Amino acid sequence: MYRIFLRGARPDTLFKSSARYFSSTVPPLTLERPSRLTKYARRAAYISLGFGAGYVADRELYASTITRNTRTFWTCAMIALDYKLNFTPEKSESISSLHERVGERLLNLFSSNGGLYIKFGQAIGANAALLPPPIQAKFSRLFDDAPQVPYSVIARTFEAEFGRPPSGPNGIFAEFEETAVASASIAQVHRARLKREDGTPGEVVAVKVQKPAVAKQMEPDLAAFGLVMKLYEYFFDLPAYFVVDFISDHMRQELDFQNEARNGARTAEFVSQDPTLADRVYIPKTYPEFTTKRVLTAEWIDGVRMSDRASIQRLMGDVQALPTSMQPLGKPLSGDLSSAGPLKGGVRWIMQTMVDLFGAQIFRWGWVHCDPHPGNIFIRPHPGRPGQPQLVLLDHGLYVRLNPEFQRQYAQLWKGLLAVDLGTVEKVVGEWGIGAPDLFARATLMRPMAFGKKKKKEDGVIKKKMTQYEASVAMKERLKSFLLDTDKMPKELIFIGRNMRISIVQGNNQMFGSPVNRIKITGYAAADALPRAPQLSARQRAWEYLHQGVFYTVMFSTDVAFWASHARKWVTGARGGNEGFEDELEKQIVELAKTQYGVEIDPASFNA
């Protein structure tokens, strides 16, 4: 290393002068501090990036579970806060607007989350008559339809379940249509053809494929459902959580398609052994070798869905029975039935068969289909009997098994209701922990039901005009008195009520002009089942047969009311009227709820 020193200069002096030189010629370095706006912008960018990455990870890895649950709790928090601030006597006139906002929030929540939330919403909507009218109207718009997932997703599901693609040289099927024929929140259905041993196309089948997100979302959704019911109990002081475990268990069963195949086979066995239904009802067969927990293969059915009412009327030759606004305008029949002529029996045959089928499930088999919306019922020409119709029941994922004791009680209840045996009604309802037998009776029959002296008492109390706030409080207190002991209440009533009242029997009977007396048919099914119960002694059986004779005599009054309704309909029909027996009962129920309980029922809720 070389060292250079200036002559006559000491090293320390040299370094000092150098420092002065540089300090005088070079300005000092200064670091500018970022502005507060820049700092906040940077932080916002980092946070946004983090949320974006979390959203993508949640969507791709967890099927948007975190996003959906966050939406659920936010919606529930907003509803609770809205009620806390605005449900007061001082704001009584704006309570209808409050219910409107709540109904819109719930509808948006269920529709946005999809999946099991649609099922939750439908379960609530099935009992929408107990909700404020603005909320009732919202639930009538909740349908179980959803965009279909791409074929690539379906192909991956087949690879995971079978180790093979749906079609192709190594495929499961000889043909598989990539576009689904129907898509709901949980699964979608594709049309396919089985592959024969020689590789040629065989018979047509319906392949139901579960959407991959549903399995990932199930447990978080059920947990959120339970927490929401807990919060509902806390904020509104009404029992709600007692149904959570029962509903959750059955929702889990609905996602197991092998269980659905077993349910269908069991129902087919019940039908085949029932001489009154064996020829009128059909359950499609399934193919166990092409069925897993997430894929179900069943025979394809060409028929007309009950939800396609105009085509049903044409198929059954009852077009003139439709109200003018509902009559079809040349629309072809759905399925491959455009050439099918009018089938015998008309819509009366359909409704008679439908009520008979669900009556048999409840009172004789103790095995009840729990998702009975009109889209799950087809009507087709009987394959072996030209000109005869046949009812086809689909979608067997959700069933409830009734124990013999409940079957007996429910049969006694219906028999007591129709025979106006109020002592029996109060006894059964009391055993179920229900404290308002009159309200329960009216909800079960969907018609007014007088309970003697108690009715006169109530008439004197609820005659004054209620404010919206007072009506809501009265309804809440009525519901609290209704559910006295939720531990005793049979949870099966949740699904059975949906079957017999709104989704199938009452709603469809009303839409088709009330061709049958569904109250009488159900009552007879209940009464006929009681003497045949296997656990009865000879003395008990004899007593039941004796009591049955009295019951048939009393039932004559229901026939008189039914045929009087049809006579009035025939007379008014000449002047353009088209209301039937169910319409009259509905009007009476709406009026009774308003005058006695201050509860306004939106007529649309009867068709939810």
Side-chain angles (χ1 to χ4, degrees):
M1 178 182 291
Y2 294 95
R3 297 183 180 181
I4 301 176
F5 293 96
L6 296 177
R7 188 187 296 268
R10 292 186 311 184
D12 58 337
T13 306
L14 177 63
F15 289 127
K16 288 179 180 178
S17 61
S18 300
R20 283 196 300 271
Y21 172 78
F22 283 108
S23 64
S24 62
T25 59
V26 181
L29 294 174
T30 58
L31 296 175
E32 292 186 9
R33 299 180 63 185
S35 68
R36 183 173 297 178
L37 180 60
T38 303
K39 182 168 58 177
Y40 287 157
R42 187 180 295 128
R43 289 179 181 175
Y46 290 150
I47 292 173
S48 299
L49 184 62
F51 273 113
Y55 174 80
V56 172
D58 178 42
R59 185 186 63 190
E60 298 300 325
L61 300 178
Y62 305 107
S64 300
T65 294
I66 298 174
T67 303
R68 297 163 78 254
N69 285 350
T70 300
R71 186 185 294 123
T72 298
F73 296 130
W74 174 258
T75 301
C76 293
M78 290 298 98
I79 290 174
L81 181 62
D82 206 353
Y83 270 118
K84 184 72 174 177
L85 296 177
N86 298 305
F87 189 71
T88 63
E90 296 78 18
K91 298 182 179 180
S92 179
E93 296 308 313
S94 63
I95 285 178
S96 180
S97 299
L98 168 64
H99 293 324
E100 178 79 23
R101 291 193 301 273
V102 169
E104 192 65 34
R105 285 184 179 127
L106 288 174
L107 179 64
N108 289 338
L109 172 65
F110 294 138
S111 300
S112 299
N113 279 0
L116 290 182
Y117 277 80
I118 299 294
K119 300 294 183 183
F120 298 152
Q122 289 176 336
I124 296 171
N127 297 286
L130 300 177
L131 301 173
I135 300 180
Q136 296 170 21
K138 300 297 181 185
F139 277 100
S140 67
R141 289 160 41 194
L142 187 64
F143 302 104
D144 191 7
D145 52 8
Q148 58 181 278
V149 299
Y151 175 72
S152 58
V153 176
I154 298 300
R156 286 199 298 271
T157 300
F158 268 81
E159 291 284 358
E161 295 295 301
F162 298 101
R164 299 159 61 190
S167 59
N170 189 40
I172 300 291
F173 302 103
E175 298 174 6
F176 188 91
E177 295 182 3
E178 296 186 5
T179 301
V181 296
S183 178
S185 56
I186 288 178
Q188 61 190 50
V189 177
H190 293 256
R191 182 181 170 118
R193 282 187 180 274
L194 295 178
K195 184 185 295 185
R196 297 192 179 100
E197 292 184 3
D198 60 2
T200 58
E203 62 184 289
V204 179
V205 292
V207 185
K208 181 178 178 181
V209 186
Q210 190 176 119
K211 296 180 176 179
V214 175
K216 296 178 182 178
Q217 295 167 349
M218 180 179 66
E219 291 304 328
D221 283 356
L222 293 177
F225 173 58
L227 182 56
V228 167
M229 291 296 100
K230 276 284 189 186
L231 292 174
Y232 183 91
E233 278 196 352
Y234 176 78
F235 282 111
F236 299 104
D237 192 28
L238 282 172
Y241 188 80
F242 74 99
V243 303
V244 168
D245 289 341
F246 185 78
I247 291 178
S248 296
D249 289 343
H250 284 78
M251 289 295 181
R252 291 186 183 97
Q253 293 175 25
E254 193 171 8
L255 295 188
D256 183 350
F257 289 175
Q258 288 177 323
N259 180 67
E260 178 174 345
R262 290 191 293 269
N263 288 346
R266 186 173 188 179
T267 305
E269 185 177 353
F270 276 122
V271 170
S272 65
Q273 294 176 356
D274 194 316
T276 66
L277 294 169
D279 204 46
R280 292 190 289 161
V281 177
Y282 184 74
I283 309 298
K285 66 180 179 180
T286 57
Y287 297 85
E289 64 272 30
F290 304 123
T291 297
T292 68
K293 287 185 178 295
R294 295 196 294 162
V295 177
L296 173 69
T297 303
E299 67 177 303
W300 181 268
I301 298 294
D302 281 319
V304 180
R305 291 182 185 272
M306 282 293 295
S307 53
D308 188 355
R309 292 180 174 89
S311 292
I312 286 287
Q313 291 280 353
R314 181 179 289 106
L315 180 67
M316 302 306 294
D318 282 344
V319 175
Q320 296 303 318
L322 272 174
T324 303
S325 62
M326 286 293 297
Q327 288 182 10
L329 299 174
K331 178 183 175 184
L333 292 174
S334 56
D336 295 332
L337 304 176
S338 56
S339 61
L343 302 179
K344 297 176 183 177
V347 293
R348 177 182 175 83
W349 180 95
I350 295 176
M351 289 310 307
Q352 177 78 42
T353 300
M354 188 179 297
V355 182
D356 286 345
L357 172 60
F358 285 97
Q361 289 185 6
I362 293 171
F363 300 115
R364 296 203 297 275
W365 308 344
W367 178 247
V368 185
H369 190 293
C370 295
D371 193 16
H373 62 76
N376 284 340
I377 295 181
F378 277 23
I379 304 299
R380 69 170 182 176
H382 195 295
R385 295 192 174 186
Q388 295 287 341
Q390 190 175 56
L391 186 149
V392 182
L393 183 61
L394 307 174
D395 199 350
H396 301 276
L398 191 58
Y399 273 80
V400 64
R401 186 77 172 93
L402 307 182
N403 63 64
E405 177 62 14
F406 174 80
Q407 279 184 281
R408 182 188 63 80
Q409 290 175 320
Y410 197 64
Q412 286 180 334
L413 174 75
W414 264 90
K415 188 176 176 181
L417 287 172
L418 271 65
V420 199
D421 181 0
L422 305 183
T424 296
V425 174
E426 290 181 331
K427 175 178 178 294
V428 172
V429 171
E431 290 173 349
W432 288 347
I434 296 173
D438 53 342
L439 183 61
F440 184 81
R442 291 156 185 162
T444 300
L445 291 178
M446 292 302 290
R447 76 169 189 181
M449 183 81 181
F451 266 61
K453 296 179 180 179
K454 185 180 288 190
K455 179 179 182 299
K456 293 180 181 178
K457 260 184 172 177
E458 293 173 348
D459 283 344
V461 175
I462 311 183
K463 283 292 184 182
K464 67 186 181 84
K465 174 72 174 177
M466 286 187 178
T467 66
Q468 292 190 44
Y469 176 82
E470 290 171 337
S472 297
V473 171
M475 181 175 70
K476 175 181 173 181
E477 293 304 315
R478 189 66 175 166
L479 289 176
K480 288 174 70 175
S481 69
F482 180 79
L483 298 172
L484 287 181
D485 190 343
T486 56
D487 290 336
K488 290 182 179 179
M489 181 179 172
K491 310 305 183 292
E492 296 87 347
L493 287 172
I494 300 168
F495 293 115
I496 291 178
R498 183 184 179 194
N499 283 24
M500 299 308 295
R501 291 189 287 109
I502 298 173
S503 295
I504 287 295
V505 179
Q506 191 268 343
N508 280 297
N509 196 39
Q510 181 176 5
M511 178 56 67
F512 289 128
S514 309
V516 300
N517 187 340
R518 48 102 186 169
I519 294 177
K520 173 188 172 183
I521 298 170
T522 306
Y524 279 176
D528 291 344
L530 284 170
R532 294 177 171 83
Q535 68 273 22
L536 295 180
S537 65
R539 182 178 178 181
Q540 290 172 324
R541 201 176 307 278
W543 171 255
E544 288 292 349
Y545 274 117
L546 178 63
H547 200 265
Q548 195 173 28
V550 178
F551 170 78
Y552 286 146
T553 303
V554 174
M555 282 299 296
F556 179 72
S557 63
T558 307
D559 277 338
V560 171
F562 177 75
W563 290 113
S565 169
H566 272 263
R568 285 193 297 272
K569 178 184 174 183
W570 181 81
V571 172
T572 58
R575 297 193 295 266
N578 53 37
E579 290 189 345
F581 188 51
E582 298 289 354
D583 298 280
E584 294 182 15
L585 295 183
E586 178 187 299
K587 283 183 178 180
Q588 294 173 34
I589 282 286
V590 170
E591 181 62 25
L592 185 72
K594 185 175 181 179
T595 57
Q596 279 203 297
Y597 305 117
V599 177
E600 293 191 16
I601 298 179
D602 186 342
S605 67
F606 289 91
N607 300 318

